[in-house]
Amino acid sequence: MIGLAGQFEEASKRYAATNGITRNEDWFILKLQEELGELTQVWMKLTDRGRKRGLSETELREALADETADLLGHILLFAQKNGIDLAPAITRKWRFEPAG
């Protein structure tokens, strides 16, 4: 997970530099909200509760995957920015049993 978080971090820094964006404390949580909104919007279209704007089911499924990837990326960025070690938090919160 750390390697993936690092890749998201590098891509995010490049995006911010290219677009003149300051990634301050609020930015990380606000981007999470934005990405969740975009994922929800695609879900609404895919489940016939939003205007599809001429998009096929295949295009909507691809957009759903893309927005899910965005949300995951921003969760990892938020965790990294706030010093959250997700692996033990996931084990604790989801009550995973040790493999064995």
Side-chain angles (χ1 to χ4, degrees), residues 28-57:
F28 289 90
I29 193 75
L30 293 173
K31 279 300 287 183
L32 267 177
Q33 186 64 42
E34 178 187 17
E35 296 303 337
L36 180 56
E38 291 174 5
L39 178 61
T40 302
Q41 186 177 47
V42 172
W43 179 252
M44 296 292 286
K45 291 175 184 178
L46 191 58
T47 58
D48 297 322
R49 292 177 278 181
R51 292 178 292 152
K52 295 184 180 185
R53 301 185 186 265
L55 296 171
S56 68
E57 182 168 346

Side-chain angles (χ1 to χ4, degrees), residues 82-93:
N82 289 284
I84 298 168
D85 187 349
L86 282 175
I90 290 167
T91 299
R92 180 178 61 253
K93 183 67 179 172

Side-chain angles (χ1 to χ4, degrees), residues 56-95:
S56 68
E57 182 168 346
T58 300
E59 290 169 316
L60 289 170
R61 292 248 170 236
E62 185 174 299
L64 186 71
D66 290 350
E67 295 306 335
T68 301
D70 280 350
L71 186 59
L72 174 62
H74 284 285
I75 288 169
L76 293 175
L77 288 169
F78 179 82
Q80 183 173 323
K81 176 67 176 174
N82 289 284
I84 298 168
D85 187 349
L86 282 175
I90 290 167
T91 299
R92 180 178 61 253
K93 183 67 179 172
W94 285 79
R95 301 173 196 229

Side-chain angles (χ1 to χ4, degrees), residues 1-17:
M1 214 173 337
I2 292 170
L4 188 57
Q7 289 177 293
F8 279 115
E9 175 62 20
E10 289 304 313
S12 178
K13 283 196 301 195
R14 281 192 311 271
Y15 176 84

